[in-house]
Amino acid sequence: MTESAPEWKQTACVLCSINCGIEVKTEGREIVRVRGDKSHPASKGYTCEKGLRVNFYQNARDRLTSPLRRREDGTFEEVDWDTAITEIAARFTEVKDEHGGQSIMYYGGGGQGNHLVGGYAAATQAALGMQFKSNALAQEKTGEFWVDGQLFGAARCHTAPDFHHAEVSMFVGKNVWHSHGFPRARVTIKEIAKDPNRAMIVIDPRRTETADLADYFLQVRPGGDAWLLSAMLAILVQEDLLNESWLAEHANGVDDFKALVADIDVTAYCARADVDEDLVRAATRRMAEASSVAILEDLGIQMAPHSTLNSWLEKLIYLVTGNFAKQGGMNLHTSITPISGGGGGKPKESPVQGERVLSGLIACNHVPDEILTDHDDRFRAMLIESANPVHSLAGSQKWRDALDALDFAVCIDVAMTETARRCDYVLPAASQYEKAECTFFTLEFPENDFQLRHPIFEPLAGTLPEPEIHARLVKELGAYTDDEIEPLRAAAKQGRPAFAEAFFSMMGEKPHLNKVISVVLYET
């Protein structure tokens, strides 16, 4: 019997938040060719060099293929899955019984295209009574989310720029050419650069590929963004460039805002930002006269001095010029599930330092200090998933010390990361191309797409998809039994209508299952 020829399979790139549609040709377990998927509704065949190299992710040399248990001397030994799940559940239960579920912290929740894991991890958190969590969003985005909440009423009211229709596009701390941020980014900014009726403003300390395309490149001094953005707002007020009619109809606090910036010394602020004042005035006037303005801020200012202030100032620019809720401006996108704004009913402060919990997350840099203390309420254990805080966060050594100080730590990941090496158990997950997966980064406006990806490979031998890992943990923790959910399995064999009826009936009769609903659905 001859082997069939390789086929092109539809999937998506998982190496940035845009998740462009791609088609891949496979041979065995290798991805041998990649091309953009022209039928994808968002990316329409577009891809960059990242997507063309996804095989380096799929077949990385350091992928894990067995659960690992840490020995006394710091080395690891392979154990079978049943042993790992039984021992991990027992160790977590010991911590919970002695110190309470709130002493166990969850860090992670999925990668750039790996978000279903967050739903299944929620069941494990509920089964253990976890109250506190964090992830990369708490390093990068919670300041912006907080500002969104103050301006628009809820932190989940995140705004999306409509660069495809904007007359003026501004990028603050963002090199679109490399880090994208919206579909077909390079194509779009090249179109803007070529159109004499449109303009691009780039604020960045470094002359990037995006800056090379800009009409106005404001090369700000590192850390000087707040001075520059404040100067732009002052110019809008002092030169009577505000959209007064829009503000009168849609905004409050306008007089307070005007008073705040009316006396700003624009010359001094531009000098502090180290940007030519004439160029700042020209760029600001161009925005004020435009029919539409879209702005994208990113990590360049969100992981820099005055990050939350920068987010507020940036949003004020498009609000006071009337570029909110319009084509070519800034809009509230829809989402299949919010990526921020959680934490309802959860603690508002961290247990040791009393640091603010924003969007349900403790700021990443505070986490080690919630461990490295003799405080009775310190974190005693952690479950870390699809994340490598020792490598990706500030203070790597402090994070190592913190993980070493925990009573117990578990890491779920595809590779033996720097963080995994500090944990007591490491559980090998299937890759994003070995399971059904999706992204909740459905952030676009006006077109908004959600893509559920099918697996293109079987899980690598020895690995398990995260839903299976969490289902096994939750069951071992005693949150449900096979007998309890067996009626749902039987109903599923009769079809979806019968399953739906049985499911909602059971959730009413056995409300304790609601907290682990994701794994109940997975199991049945």
Side-chain angles (χ1 to χ4, degrees):
M1 183 176 180
T2 59
E3 186 175 337
S4 60
E7 296 181 2
W8 289 99
K9 301 174 183 178
Q10 288 179 304
T11 184
C13 174
V14 298
L15 300 181
C16 92
S17 63
I18 304 306
N19 303 120
C20 295
I22 57 175
E23 294 181 311
V24 300
K25 183 174 282 190
T26 62
E27 291 182 3
R29 295 193 62 86
E30 296 287 326
I31 297 173
V32 295
R33 287 190 63 191
V34 181
R35 67 188 183 193
D37 182 359
K38 294 180 180 179
S39 68
H40 192 278
S43 57
K44 301 173 183 176
Y46 174 91
T47 188
C48 73
E49 61 268 25
K50 297 177 188 177
L52 299 176
R53 289 163 173 78
V54 292
N55 191 56
F56 288 97
Y57 158 79
Q58 169 60 26
N59 292 299
R61 288 175 294 179
D62 58 353
R63 283 201 62 186
L64 296 167
T65 57
S66 172
L68 300 175
R69 179 174 59 197
R70 189 181 181 90
R71 299 187 181 99
E72 288 290 334
D73 63 2
T75 61
F76 286 87
E77 60 184 345
E78 293 186 359
V79 295
D80 62 78
W81 273 102
D82 288 343
T83 299
I85 294 296
T86 300
E87 294 180 357
I88 289 170
R91 292 285 300 276
F92 273 136
T93 299
E94 288 176 7
V95 175
K96 177 185 177 182
D97 289 347
E98 185 171 355
H99 303 289
Q102 75 282 353
S103 69
I104 307 172
M105 184 184 178
Y106 180 79
Y107 188 97
Q112 294 283 34
N114 186 41
H115 288 163
L116 286 180
V117 56
Y120 296 106
T124 300
Q125 294 170 56
L128 285 168
M130 295 186 191
Q131 296 292 310
F132 296 96
K133 60 183 179 180
S134 188
N135 57 42
L137 290 174
Q139 176 178 237
E140 303 165 356
K141 297 292 183 182
T142 47
E144 182 185 9
F145 294 158
W146 181 83
V147 172
D148 287 333
Q150 305 307 303
L151 293 176
F152 309 123
R156 64 181 177 272
C157 291
H158 190 258
T159 51
D162 181 12
F163 292 123
H164 298 85
H165 300 100
E167 181 180 334
V168 172
S169 300
M170 185 163 84
F171 303 103
V172 190
K174 178 73 174 176
N175 182 11
V176 176
W177 189 265
H178 274 308
S179 61
H180 305 296
F182 54 95
R184 299 172 58 81
R186 292 182 181 179
V187 173
T188 301
I189 62 173
K190 285 194 289 186
E191 289 175 350
I192 294 171
K194 292 177 182 178
D195 191 337
N197 296 315
R198 303 173 74 184
M200 187 190 309
I201 302 168
V202 171
I203 298 176
D204 205 300
R206 189 172 67 89
R207 178 172 283 279
T208 64
E209 293 86 349
T210 306
D212 284 337
L213 296 172
D215 299 275
Y216 304 90
F217 174 37
L218 308 183
Q219 192 167 14
V220 64
R221 183 196 305 273
D225 302 274
W227 304 95
L228 174 57
L229 295 170
S230 296
M232 298 175 84
L233 287 166
I235 292 166
L236 290 169
V237 170
Q238 294 168 11
E239 297 188 10
D240 295 323
L241 299 175
L242 303 185
N243 190 326
E244 297 284 5
S245 59
W246 189 92
L247 291 170
E249 184 176 356
H250 298 291
N252 55 30
V254 176
D255 290 339
D256 291 337
F257 158 72
K258 290 180 180 179
L260 191 65
V261 301
D263 295 329
I264 282 178
D265 185 336
V266 172
T267 301
Y269 273 46
C270 289
R272 188 71 178 264
D274 198 22
V275 182
D276 179 75
E277 180 183 347
D278 290 339
L279 185 61
V280 175
R281 290 187 180 275
T284 306
R285 292 164 184 160
R286 182 67 180 91
M287 282 195 295
E289 69 184 21
S291 59
S292 58
V293 176
I295 304 176
L296 180 60
E297 64 164 83
D298 211 344
L299 305 190
I301 61 169
Q302 292 169 349
M303 296 177 65
H306 317 121
S307 57
T308 304
L309 174 60
N310 287 331
S311 292
W312 180 55
L313 297 171
E314 170 264 316
K315 294 176 192 300
L316 285 179
I317 288 174
Y318 66 71
L319 288 171
V320 300
T321 54
N323 284 288
F324 178 68
K326 64 184 291 187
Q327 186 179 63
M330 305 296 296
N331 296 273
L332 300 179
H333 59 81
T334 55
S335 60
I336 193 166
T337 187
I339 62 172
S340 65
K346 298 288 187 179
K348 304 298 183 184
E349 296 180 345
S350 65
V352 174
Q353 297 177 294
E355 297 290 352
R356 226 174 189 179
V357 174
L358 295 176
S359 297
L361 304 173
I362 296 178
C364 301
N365 289 342
H366 293 316
V367 174
D369 293 322
E370 299 287 330
I371 300 169
L372 296 170
T373 173
D374 59 0
H375 196 287
D376 288 343
D377 295 330
R378 67 186 181 275
F379 294 134
R380 312 287 180 133
M382 284 187 73
L383 175 58
I384 303 168
E385 183 165 34
S386 300
N388 187 10
V390 168
H391 180 71
S392 62
L393 300 180
S396 292
Q397 186 56 52
K398 195 171 186 179
W399 265 95
R400 293 188 187 96
D401 294 341
L403 291 176
D404 291 345
L406 290 169
D407 295 348
F408 186 53
V410 176
C411 183
I412 301 173
D413 214 317
V414 297
M416 192 65 168
T417 65
E418 292 87 348
T419 298
R421 294 184 186 279
R422 319 304 292 196
C423 293
D424 297 288
Y425 288 80
V426 184
L427 300 181
S431 84
Q432 295 193 42
Y433 295 113
E434 297 167 358
K435 59 185 177 176
E437 208 25 286
C438 72
T439 174
F440 296 143
F441 287 144
T442 49
L443 309 178
E444 308 310 318
F445 184 92
E447 296 180 355
N448 189 290
D449 306 285
F450 174 79
Q451 176 180 335
L452 180 66
R453 307 193 307 273
H454 297 284
I456 59 175
F457 299 109
E458 291 295 320
L460 187 65
T463 71
L464 290 177
E466 292 99 337
E468 180 67 23
I469 295 173
H470 286 288
R472 293 187 186 192
L473 275 173
V474 169
K475 183 178 178 182
E476 187 67 27
L477 289 166
Y480 72 94
T481 65
D482 278 330
D483 289 343
E484 281 185 301
I485 64 174
E486 186 56 39
L488 291 183
R489 291 196 178 106
K493 296 177 181 178
Q494 302 173 36
R496 289 184 179 177
F499 178 84
E501 182 178 352
F503 175 78
F504 288 115
S505 175
M506 179 171 286
M507 291 301 104
E509 296 169 2
K510 300 178 179 180
H512 69 280
L513 294 179
N514 281 291
K515 67 180 183 179
V516 293
I517 189 171
S518 57
V519 298
V520 170
L521 284 169
Y522 171 79
E523 288 278 38
T524 57

